[in-house]
Amino acid sequence: MQGISACIFDLDGVIVDTAVYHFKAWKRLANELGFNFTEAQNEQLKGVSRVRSLELILEWGGIKKSAAEQQELATRKNEWYVDMVHHMTPEEILPGAKELLESLRAAGIKTALGSASKNARVILEKVDILPLFDVVIDGNMVSASKPDPEVFLKGAEALGVSPDKCIVFEDAIAGVEAGKAGGMKVVGIGEKSVLNEADLVVSGLQDINIQTLTNLYNSK
């Protein structure tokens, strides 16, 4: 395929949208601590680690907790979140995602997941597309958060592919920056005004096909 060897996908906002579950879990935690947590605030947590998300929420609530207490709160929130994602179904796959993954594999292009989520494998199993990925790199396997390119570079390495032969799919600014920092072409999923560092921006994977990716890869 004219140079493209692999495609590496972020999970949340690209393949599925679990933001609603994160929001519900964080909101429940904030409410139990005695303050509210809004959808606008939740947007600011996009692509942010669980630990840092908790720090921001506590700051917004004007609450101080020890490191041990923060760990307990983060664990509690994650247990609620995991319980919700365990009830996900294949109907929650975002439009075009499964079709694109299937067409990439049919074309001999390798696929990897590169996500900060520590629950990525469970989610892929629940929505029944785990077999469509050659490699899954998740939050249990990396130490640096995006915009550090570690998760994508590990994906390329696990696939046995040079980074410059990979295309990354991302919906967050930090993720786009990570892909670019790793020397990869990046397709942004979302708004062009937000993801303006991406090489191509589309509203969703339903707008992508093999020819689109070939053209992107061959463009300067």
Side-chain angles (χ1 to χ4, degrees), residues 51 71 74 76 83-84 121 136-137 152 158 204 208-210:
V51 172
Q71 180 61 50
R76 196 191 314 171
D83 181 62
M84 286 186 276
R121 189 172 289 273
V136 175
I137 306 294
F152 295 137
I208 291 289
N209 57 39
I210 300 290

Side-chain angles (χ1 to χ4, degrees), residues 128-218:
D128 201 25
I129 55 171
L130 182 59
L132 294 179
F133 290 92
D134 296 297
V135 166
V136 175
I137 306 294
D138 63 19
N140 298 299
M141 305 165 71
V142 295
S143 56
S145 298
K146 301 169 187 176
D148 189 288
E150 181 187 16
V151 69
F152 295 137
L153 293 175
K154 281 197 170 184
E157 181 182 14
L159 291 170
V161 172
S162 171
D164 65 354
K165 292 188 177 295
C166 298
I167 295 179
V168 163
F169 295 80
E170 260 289 354
D171 75 317
I173 294 171
V176 171
E177 291 175 352
K180 299 298 288 184
M184 305 173 184
K185 286 284 179 77
V186 179
V187 175
I189 307 298
E191 299 293 331
K192 188 168 180 60
S193 59
V194 177
L195 305 176
N196 51 34
E197 294 298 314
D199 298 288
L200 172 69
V201 180
V202 294
S203 63
L205 295 181
Q206 72 275 10
D207 297 330
I208 291 289
N209 57 39
I210 300 290
Q211 189 59 54
T212 307
L213 296 179
T214 302
N215 294 342
L216 173 63
Y217 182 82
N218 291 326

Side-chain angles (χ1 to χ4, degrees), residues 74-94:
T75 299
R76 196 191 314 171
K77 176 267 174 183
N78 191 55
E79 287 171 351
W80 295 333
Y81 170 76
V82 170
D83 181 62
M84 286 186 276
V85 299
H86 267 87
H87 293 89
M88 291 182 72
T89 68
E91 284 68 42
E92 294 182 70
I93 300 170
L94 290 174

Side-chain angles (χ1 to χ4, degrees), residues 7 10 15 17 21 30 50 87 117 119 129 171 174-175 191 213:
C7 288
D10 178 40
I15 302 294
D17 188 0
Y21 302 127
R50 188 189 312 159
H87 293 89
S117 172
N119 305 294
I129 55 171
D171 75 317
E191 299 293 331
L213 296 179

Side-chain angles (χ1 to χ4, degrees), residues 3 30-31 47 63 73 89-90 101 107 118 144 154 162-163 170 180 188 219:
N31 292 165
I63 291 177
L73 290 172
T89 68
L101 288 163
K118 293 186 177 182
K154 281 197 170 184
S162 171
E170 260 289 354
K180 299 298 288 184
S219 66

